[in-house]
Amino acid sequence: KILERYLSHGEPSPDTLRNYYSAIDNYLQWCRYNKRHPLKITEYEFTYYRDMLVQLKMKKGSIKSKLNAVRQFYNVAVKLKLLAENPTDGIGVKAYEPNDISPLKFLQAAQLEHLLNVIPDDGKNVENIRDKAMIMLMALEGLRTVEVYRMSVADVDWQVKTIYIHGKGHNDFIYPRHDVMAYLKQYIKLRYADKQKKDPYGEPVFTALGNRNKGGRMNRRSIRRSIDKWLEIAGFKKAGISCHMLRHTCASLLFAKKLQVEIIASILGHSPEVCRKTYIHFCQAQRAEAIHQIAEFNI
């Protein structure tokens, strides 16, 4: 409960808490195995924990997430005066090597149109309408998988035409395109929701169809699996290409419209600095595509 007060301005999501508690618990187990009291760990000793995560060949993002959780644990210990200083400060993970960085992946406007068109839509197949609505929210509105997962019926205001988004670290309203809102409304009218199931976020928008959780909130794994299926059918599924690529697609479409970086940052819920880096990747990808097209001519 003490840690909870210091995360996300005192209002961390259940997912955030679960991830933090899991990472801290793993760290405490490591301390017990190595017979070290966590409040007596030195900065040098903590580097052994960091090195262990690296040796396990975990993804850099996962290592950073785990180290950050432990760092927050020690930040609270310092605030409670259990420690004079945080032994994890300054202990991070090596930056990505150039060959570890994959180029920014996104769909061009015509490719996104193709992806949406491969989903059969007779106005009756709830699964197809659901999946298409999720793809539209990600690719046209820039939502993350977790934000689609958390979306509830009460978050949608049909009169004002807004959706309240339970975001990553902060919440905000979006003003979706008319066609996105219309398609979402069509889906909600058709889909089945089991209102007897307890849900911390309220009545879910996107519900499962399987017998095990029929009418309950779709989990993130199911959302990824559904979208991966259509990426495969459309011919876009490759290693590293999944839901988050649709968010990159939204960013690329916005950059193509030459909107100010600050406006795009606001839409995506990023800092302007992060968006500038994304813009650089976008320009590089556009340049590579142009060169590829030129190479197709006989010069």
Side-chain angles (χ1 to χ4, degrees):
K1 288 294 184 181
I2 296 177
L3 179 63
E4 185 176 342
R5 293 174 181 269
Y6 290 96
L7 296 177
S8 302
H9 305 291
E11 296 182 354
S13 70
D15 289 330
T16 297
L17 278 179
R18 184 163 49 249
N19 291 335
Y20 269 79
Y21 288 156
S22 175
I24 292 170
D25 184 59
N26 289 339
Y27 170 67
L28 295 178
Q29 289 182 33
W30 178 86
C31 289
R32 284 194 292 270
Y33 179 81
N34 290 281
K35 299 179 180 178
R36 295 298 301 157
H37 194 289
L39 295 182
K40 295 180 180 179
I41 285 284
T42 65
E43 180 183 281
Y44 180 74
E45 289 172 331
F46 187 70
T47 63
Y48 280 95
Y49 178 69
R50 185 271 316 275
D51 292 346
M52 180 200 72
L53 298 178
V54 173
Q55 290 165 8
L56 289 174
K57 296 184 178 180
M58 300 176 64
K59 292 182 178 180
K60 295 290 178 67
S62 297
I63 295 175
K64 288 182 178 181
S65 178
K66 289 181 180 296
L67 294 179
N68 183 59
V70 177
R71 188 170 294 111
Q72 292 296 335
F73 167 78
Y74 280 116
N75 280 340
V76 173
V78 171
K79 291 179 184 295
L80 296 176
K81 301 188 185 304
L82 298 175
L83 287 174
E85 58 184 21
N86 189 330
T88 70
D89 281 346
I91 306 299
V93 63
K94 187 178 180 181
Y96 288 97
E97 298 290 350
N99 58 358
D100 289 337
I101 303 176
S102 59
L104 184 66
K105 303 177 180 72
F106 57 85
L107 300 179
Q108 302 285 351
Q111 293 173 316
L112 175 58
E113 185 177 1
H114 171 64
L115 173 61
L116 293 172
N117 286 338
V118 299
I119 305 176
D121 184 2
D122 60 3
K124 298 178 182 179
N125 188 307
V126 177
E127 182 176 2
N128 290 354
I129 296 173
R130 179 197 67 190
D131 294 351
K132 193 168 184 177
M134 292 193 297
I135 290 174
M136 292 173 77
L137 284 166
M138 291 180 177
L140 297 175
E141 303 298 337
L143 297 195
R144 300 176 174 90
T145 305
V146 67
E147 293 167 345
V148 172
Y149 157 73
R150 292 173 179 167
M151 190 180 296
S152 296
V153 173
D155 297 328
V156 185
D157 190 322
W158 301 108
Q159 290 186 328
V160 184
K161 294 181 172 54
T162 61
I163 303 177
Y164 184 67
I165 302 300
H166 302 270
K168 184 180 178 182
H170 71 282
N171 303 331
D172 204 353
F173 287 94
I174 64 169
Y175 297 80
R177 293 162 44 127
H178 172 74
D179 53 351
V180 174
M181 286 293 280
Y183 208 82
L184 186 62
K185 191 170 189 177
Q186 178 186 0
Y187 165 66
I188 290 178
K189 284 182 177 179
L190 291 173
R191 70 96 169 84
Y192 167 70
D194 187 347
K195 297 183 180 181
Q196 300 303 313
K197 292 181 181 291
K198 293 184 178 180
D199 191 303
Y201 294 110
E203 183 184 337
V205 168
F206 296 104
T207 58
L209 296 171
N211 292 329
R212 294 182 61 183
N213 187 36
K214 187 173 182 179
R217 185 178 298 272
M218 280 184 82
N219 59 41
R220 283 179 284 182
R221 181 178 299 177
S222 296
I223 293 173
R224 294 189 191 99
R225 190 184 301 120
S226 294
I227 292 178
D228 281 349
K229 176 185 72 175
W230 295 114
L231 289 174
E232 184 75 42
I233 293 173
F236 300 137
K237 182 62 183 161
K238 297 178 182 177
I241 298 289
S242 192
C243 291
H244 202 69
M245 179 271 294
L246 297 176
R247 182 169 159 81
H248 288 169
T249 296
C250 179
S252 74
L253 295 175
L254 294 172
F255 283 129
K257 292 295 183 182
K258 303 187 185 308
L259 295 180
Q260 292 181 357
V261 170
E262 288 75 15
I263 295 176
I264 298 174
S266 176
I267 293 171
L268 297 178
H270 271 317
S271 68
E273 290 73 21
V274 170
C275 278
R276 287 190 183 95
K277 292 179 182 178
T278 304
Y279 178 66
I280 292 172
H281 283 295
F282 169 71
C283 292
Q284 290 172 337
Q286 292 287 72
R287 176 179 177 275
E289 178 65 20
I291 291 174
H292 175 72
Q293 291 176 2
I294 292 172
E296 293 179 352
F297 290 95
N298 293 320
I299 300 176

